[in-house]
Amino acid sequence: MKGFKRVYNIVTTILLILALILAFLLVGLRLFGFKPYTVLSGSMEPTYHVGSMIYVKDVPPDSLQVRDPVTYRNESGKVVTHRVIEVYNEPGQGVSYRTKGDANDTADGILTPDRVIGKPIFSIPYLGYVANYIQSPSGMMLAVCVCLVLMVGMFVPEILSIMLEKPQIQSENSEQSDSAKQTDVASTKSEDGTDQNV
C-alpha cells in the first residue's frame, strides 16, 4: 500500500505540474504582456510552423525594422504574422511598412502603425493545436473533467488507507474480545474447580 501510494502521489504531482504549466502558457503569460496566437497557415514556414503558438509583445510601431516579424490586422481584420521587408518614413506621412510571409512569393500591401498588434518574441511548436482544442466545447469539457479528476485524485490514497485500516481495527477488537472471553471462561472454570474442591 505504501509503494502504491508513493507511485500514485508521484504520478498525480507530475500531472498537476503539467496542467499548471499548460495553464501558465495559455493564460498566465498574459499577465506579463504576452498575447498568444495560434499559427494557422504556413506563410511563415519554417520560422513559425503551422500549429505553433506565438507570443506577441507590444512594441512601439516605429521601432520595427527590416527582417523583424510583426503581428498585425490586415484590411479585413484578420490577424496575420509576416516579416517586415521595407520601412517607409516619408516626411509628413509618418512610418509605414511592407510585409511578406517567409514562404510567400508576393509581398503584402502597405502596413500602417495603427494596425500593428506587436512583435512575436518566441513560439512553442504544436501548442496552438492544444489551445484550439481546449477552446472548443468538447475540449473545454475535457479540460474541466481533467481538473476535477486531478483535484479528487489527490485524496484517493487517504480514502483508500482509511478504508483499508478499518477492518484491521475491527479484527484487533475482535481478537481482544475473543481473548477476554477465553479469560472469562478460564476464570469460570477455576471458580467451578474451587467450589468442587471445597
Side-chain angles (χ1 to χ4, degrees), residues 155-175:
F155 302 100
V156 169
E158 285 73 14
I159 294 172
L160 287 176
S161 62
I162 292 172
M163 292 175 65
L164 293 175
E165 285 175 3
K166 279 187 176 180
Q168 293 177 356
I169 295 171
Q170 291 177 354
S171 63
E172 288 176 0
N173 290 338
S174 62
E175 288 176 1

Side-chain angles (χ1 to χ4, degrees), residues 182-197:
Q182 290 175 359
T183 304
D184 292 341
V185 170
S187 61
T188 304
K189 286 182 179 178
S190 63
E191 287 176 359
D192 291 343
T194 304
D195 290 339
Q196 288 175 0
N197 288 333

Side-chain angles (χ1 to χ4, degrees), residues 41-87:
S41 74
S43 64
M44 284 295 287
E45 295 276 1
T47 306
Y48 303 124
H49 299 288
V50 176
S52 297
M53 179 77 79
I54 59 172
Y55 291 86
V56 178
K57 188 91 168 174
D58 289 335
V59 294
D62 57 1
S63 68
L64 294 171
Q65 300 176 359
V66 174
R67 301 299 302 162
D68 283 345
V70 59
T71 301
Y72 61 93
R73 294 190 182 276
N74 62 13
E75 292 82 359
S76 62
K78 182 181 177 182
V79 177
V80 178
T81 298
H82 281 173
R83 193 177 301 279
V84 175
I85 59 172
E86 291 183 82
V87 178

Side-chain angles (χ1 to χ4, degrees), residues 71-142:
T71 301
Y72 61 93
R73 294 190 182 276
N74 62 13
E75 292 82 359
S76 62
K78 182 181 177 182
V79 177
V80 178
T81 298
H82 281 173
R83 193 177 301 279
V84 175
I85 59 172
E86 291 183 82
V87 178
Y88 307 105
N89 196 354
E90 299 179 7
Q93 295 185 2
V95 67
S96 60
Y97 310 95
R98 186 176 293 278
T99 59
K100 176 181 170 295
D102 290 353
N104 292 352
D105 295 328
T106 58
D108 308 319
I110 298 299
L111 172 64
T112 54
D114 58 299
R115 291 192 281 118
V116 172
I117 296 174
K119 179 181 177 180
I121 305 301
F122 65 95
S123 67
I124 299 177
Y126 307 112
L127 185 60
Y129 290 127
V130 178
N132 283 353
Y133 179 69
I134 289 177
Q135 290 174 3
S136 67
S138 59
M140 272 288 238
M141 184 69 68
L142 178 63

Side-chain angles (χ1 to χ4, degrees), residues 15-55:
L15 291 176
L16 186 60
I17 290 172
L18 291 176
L20 290 174
I21 291 173
L22 181 61
F24 178 74
L25 291 175
L26 296 180
V27 181
L29 280 174
R30 293 175 184 268
L31 300 174
F32 298 92
F34 291 98
K35 300 172 185 176
Y37 292 95
T38 300
V39 178
L40 300 176
S41 74
S43 64
M44 284 295 287
E45 295 276 1
T47 306
Y48 303 124
H49 299 288
V50 176
S52 297
M53 179 77 79
I54 59 172
Y55 291 86

